[in-house]
Amino acid sequence: MQSIMPATYKELDAIRTKLEQNYHDMLDIEFTIQERSSGCSSAAWARELHRCLNMAIDMLDEKLIDEKTAIMRVEPKQLDELLHPIIDRKLKKQPF
C-alpha cells in the first residue's frame, strides 16, 4: 500500500500512531481482499449487499468513483436476488 497509495498510507499510519498513543498499546492493521462465498443466510446476504450499495453510493456522492464504477460494484444476479421477497422462517405455517 505504501508504494501504490503513499498519501493514503501516510494518513492511515498517522491514525494508527494516534490510536497507539491514546490506548498505550501496539495496533496492527490488516486488510484481506477476497471473493465472498454465498454460503450465508439470505438476510445476512441482503444486509451485506445493502452495505455495499450504500458504500458505492457514498463514494459516488464524494466523487471518488464515477457512475459506471458504482454500477459495476453490483452484479445483475445480486440485484435480481435482492428484489425477490425474503420470507421470515420464524412465521408459523398458516393453513389456507
Side-chain angles (χ1 to χ4, degrees), residues 1-3 5-17:
M1 181 177 181
Q2 187 174 11
S3 61
M5 303 170 68
T8 304
Y9 177 83
K10 185 176 180 179
E11 182 180 359
L12 184 60
D13 190 51
I15 292 168
R16 179 197 52 79
T17 300

Side-chain angles (χ1 to χ4, degrees), residues 11-77:
E11 182 180 359
L12 184 60
D13 190 51
I15 292 168
R16 179 197 52 79
T17 300
K18 191 173 190 176
L19 287 169
E20 285 180 344
Q21 290 170 351
N22 182 65
Y23 291 109
H24 306 286
D25 201 357
M26 189 174 86
L27 177 71
D28 288 331
I29 300 174
E30 296 180 20
F31 295 94
T32 302
I33 301 171
Q34 64 186 33
E35 287 189 38
R36 296 186 177 259
S37 69
S38 59
C40 60
S41 71
S42 57
W45 180 86
R47 283 191 301 274
E48 179 67 14
L49 180 57
H50 279 229
R51 187 186 67 76
C52 291
L53 286 172
N54 288 335
M55 193 173 3
I57 290 167
D58 288 346
M59 292 179 76
L60 178 63
D61 289 345
E62 294 173 19
K63 301 192 183 334
L64 298 172
I65 59 175
D66 61 14
E67 287 182 5
K68 182 179 179 182
T69 303
I71 291 169
M72 296 304 291
R73 297 276 169 105
V74 180
E75 294 184 26
K77 68 179 182 176

